[in-house]
Amino acid sequence: MMNIALLVWRQKNRADKGRFERYEAKDISHEMSFLEMLDVVNEGLIKDGKEPIAFDHDCREGICGMCSQVINGTPHGPAERTTVCQLHMRNFKDGDVIYIEPWRAKAFPVIKDLIVDRSALDRIIQAGGYISVHTGGVPDANAILISKPDADTAMDAAECIGCGACVAACPNGSAMLFTSAKVIHLANLPQGKIEAVRRVCMMTEAMQKEGFGACSNHYECQAACPKGIKVSFISALNREFVKAQFK
Amino acid sequence: MKFINFSNHLVGKKLIMAFTGIFLFFFVSVHLIGNSSIFFGPDGINAYTQKLHSMPALVWIFRLIMIAFFSIHIYFGIQLYLENKDSKPVPYAVKKSLRATFASKNMIWTGISIAVFLIYHLLHFTFRVISVGPLGVDSMQRPDVYSMVLAGLTEIPSLIIYIFGLTALVLHLSHGIQSLFQTAGITTENMQTSVIKASNAAAVIIFIGYLAIPAAIIAGILKY
């Protein structure tokens, strides 16, 4: 069991200026996840008649991409390739002071406390993160052959859960890692190649329109990504973009 | 198929930075090779200068291209800096750098430092309005650049500014070179570590190369 102090960003709504508030989390078990620790703190707040800390969460098994907290200056906290829900309190020790902040980026306005609006990422997908196919009967498996390396690259890129940690970590608030993962996922598959030129242009343009910054190659995103999406996808997106200029 | 306005697109702008950056790196390298002729004494660098002065058209074409590329690089560099800053309006109370380096985070400042140094450098050695007097001629009636450099780089203030300029350059290049490979889409996953190492090595070689000139003067290897 341990006692820790939390400095949590509290903000009533988009218009509110927001501030840090200090909470004491007492008798926290090492086995708890970070979100369970916050649940305990919130129960205390509710008991005291106070507004609980609002934070995003859903599956709590590291695959949905909902949790979004910057913990002591690192998106998703100190454990590598781990979402906040899979981050356990054994990563902390008794007496620690933990800062919890929402994702910070112009394209991610704070809705309340630690919850930000990430629909800008959805609009990047809407701009081209899909393939146009006629619906109908299920096609035969392996009717279109895909080489193992291409399938692997596409799968590695498809691991992105769209949590936005890359944007949160990027000093420029750029969504290049997210966008490149989606572009390269589809560009490696025969079904996706058909619209590759249009896709890379439309998605990067949508990203710019949403107010995300450009990539300065700091590579903070890769280090923060809970799914280990690599910056080589950004290079590959740039390659797709250059190719698109000659088509 | 044209989907975008290249110079107003955030990847397009980065490609413009990378393309002009290659040229500027090329210039810094050629300038170093040319200047290294100083190690052959007055017969080296004075002859090199005379050769350049005998081709004014070529020199001027080169200078105009340089001015254009420098201006474009600075214009888009500042624009990207401002836009990127605007994309992150609220800073974190606590922020850990996971991979970003001092060089990568200060490209705008090292860039501006290089620009300021460049102006000083031109006023110092090209227009000669700071400290060094009019260019003399050596015993063979060639412009005496050798004596000018010796005089110019032995003054302490000039030497300090020279080292300041070089420090900004080594930082800017160490991130800039690897960055252009990434932006141009050349870097693959397997290449990444090598590209970063090669980029740092190239920047350090340029730094040592330029530093060797004042070092040789101070050490007395190059003398009147």
Side-chain angles (χ1 to χ4, degrees):
Chain A
M1 290 295 183
M2 56 182 175
N3 297 323
I4 47 172
L6 303 176
L7 280 145
V8 185
W9 185 258
R10 301 303 306 261
Q11 183 173 338
K12 280 197 182 73
N13 50 45
R14 273 174 206 241
D16 184 23
K17 257 188 77 186
R19 78 230 156 262
F20 279 101
E21 253 171 49
R22 193 186 164 102
Y23 302 99
E24 307 296 330
K26 293 209 165 80
D27 300 328
I28 299 299
S29 148
H30 288 80
E31 272 78 49
M32 278 183 186
S33 77
F34 199 82
L35 296 187
E36 283 163 346
M37 181 275 295
L38 284 179
D39 290 338
V40 170
V41 173
N42 272 348
E43 277 172 15
L45 287 174
I46 293 165
K47 250 184 222 158
D48 294 344
K50 289 180 188 152
E51 183 78 12
I53 302 160
F55 60 89
D56 260 332
H57 62 105
D58 192 10
C59 74
R60 296 208 178 194
E61 53 188 27
I63 55 169
C64 76
M66 273 309 277
C67 44
S68 47
Q69 299 172 23
V70 174
I71 298 162
N72 280 343
T74 309
H76 290 300
E80 257 179 60
R81 296 194 65 163
T82 306
T83 54
V84 180
C85 60
Q86 292 292 295
L87 176 70
H88 287 84
M89 293 313 291
R90 64 182 82 98
N91 289 290
F92 301 92
K93 55 183 194 305
D94 191 43
D96 272 359
V97 178
I98 304 173
Y99 275 82
I100 312 175
E101 298 175 68
W103 282 177
R104 296 282 189 202
K106 185 186 176 186
F108 288 166
V110 174
I111 298 171
K112 190 178 181 185
D113 298 344
L114 302 172
I115 300 177
V116 297
D117 180 359
R118 283 172 285 182
S119 53
L121 295 183
D122 300 336
R123 289 189 289 274
I124 294 177
I125 296 294
Q126 282 161 13
Y130 51 82
I131 55 164
S132 306
V133 287
H134 296 292
T135 52
V138 180
D140 284 344
N142 298 328
I144 303 171
L145 295 177
I146 300 164
S147 79
K148 177 72 174 148
D150 283 347
D152 283 350
T153 308
M155 278 305 287
D156 286 348
E159 260 202 86
C160 171
I161 52 174
C163 66
C166 45
V167 179
C170 179
N172 305 340
S174 175
M176 277 292 269
L177 193 67
F178 168 82
T179 308
S180 67
K182 301 299 170 191
V183 165
I184 300 310
H185 162 203
L186 295 174
N188 268 281
L189 301 172
Q191 298 93 330
K193 279 202 173 86
I194 301 155
E195 291 161 298
V197 171
R198 182 185 176 277
R199 180 180 307 115
V200 68
C201 294
M202 296 309 249
M203 287 183 76
T204 46
E205 206 168 46
M207 173 182 139
Q208 184 170 7
K209 222 190 278 168
E210 293 293 341
F212 293 102
C215 178
S216 294
N217 309 320
H218 295 292
Y219 307 150
E220 286 286 292
C221 50
Q222 177 178 320
C225 177
K227 295 293 151 187
I229 304 290
K230 297 201 171 78
V231 290
S232 52
F233 290 128
I234 298 181
S235 178
L237 175 145
N238 292 334
R239 201 154 55 236
E240 286 290 320
F241 183 81
V242 172
K243 275 195 309 202
Q245 303 312 308
F246 298 100
K247 280 185 179 161
Chain B
M1 252 195 296
K2 258 275 164 271
F3 288 112
I4 52 141
N5 178 359
F6 195 79
S7 65
N8 195 29
H9 185 282
L10 47 74
V11 180
K13 281 182 202 170
K14 287 290 300 181
L15 281 164
I16 293 171
M17 291 299 285
F19 181 71
T20 50
I22 295 171
F23 185 83
L24 297 175
F25 172 64
F26 171 72
F27 167 73
V28 166
S29 308
V30 170
H31 188 54
L32 175 60
I33 294 167
N35 285 5
S36 296
S37 62
I38 197 166
F39 290 107
F40 296 101
D43 284 334
I45 196 157
N46 291 359
Y48 168 64
T49 312
Q50 197 179 32
K51 183 84 193 154
L52 280 183
H53 284 194
S54 69
M55 306 180 287
L58 197 76
V59 168
W60 270 104
I61 290 169
F62 191 73
R63 280 179 179 169
L64 289 175
I65 296 173
M66 279 281 302
I67 292 168
F69 275 50
F70 250 112
S71 311
I72 295 168
H73 196 76
I74 292 169
Y75 175 78
F76 283 102
I78 292 173
Q79 202 184 53
L80 278 164
Y81 168 73
L82 294 174
E83 284 170 4
N84 289 343
K85 219 176 131 197
D86 182 57
S87 296
K88 203 88 177 177
V90 185
Y92 290 106
V94 183
K95 181 75 182 86
K96 267 200 197 106
S97 280
L98 304 166
R99 281 279 298 270
T101 60
F102 179 82
S104 77
K105 284 187 283 189
N106 290 287
M107 287 302 273
I108 182 77
W109 308 117
T110 50
I112 289 171
S113 302
I114 293 166
V116 170
F117 168 72
L118 182 70
I119 293 166
Y120 177 86
H121 199 54
L122 288 173
L123 293 175
H124 193 197
F125 283 147
T126 306
F127 301 110
R128 289 177 291 279
V129 290
I130 297 172
S131 67
V132 285
L135 194 58
V137 288
D138 65 4
S139 56
M140 291 175 70
Q141 301 301 309
R142 293 176 303 210
D144 195 2
V145 174
Y146 184 79
S147 304
M148 179 191 77
V149 173
L150 254 61
L153 288 182
T154 40
E155 300 160 346
I156 298 297
S158 290
L159 188 62
I160 291 171
I161 295 171
Y162 188 80
I163 293 170
F164 164 80
L166 283 183
T167 309
L169 186 67
V170 68
L171 290 170
H172 202 77
L173 288 180
S174 70
H175 181 69
I177 300 169
Q178 63 101 357
S179 194
L180 79 84
F181 278 90
Q182 172 81 0
T183 303
I186 299 164
T187 313
T188 60
E189 193 186 333
N190 296 338
M191 278 167 70
Q192 206 187 73
T193 319
S194 321
V195 168
I196 292 172
K197 277 186 191 155
S199 171
N200 291 336
V204 170
I205 290 168
I206 296 276
F207 180 74
I208 293 172
Y210 277 110
L211 207 61
I213 297 168
I217 296 171
I218 292 163
I221 297 165
L222 296 175
K223 47 181 179 272
Y224 293 106

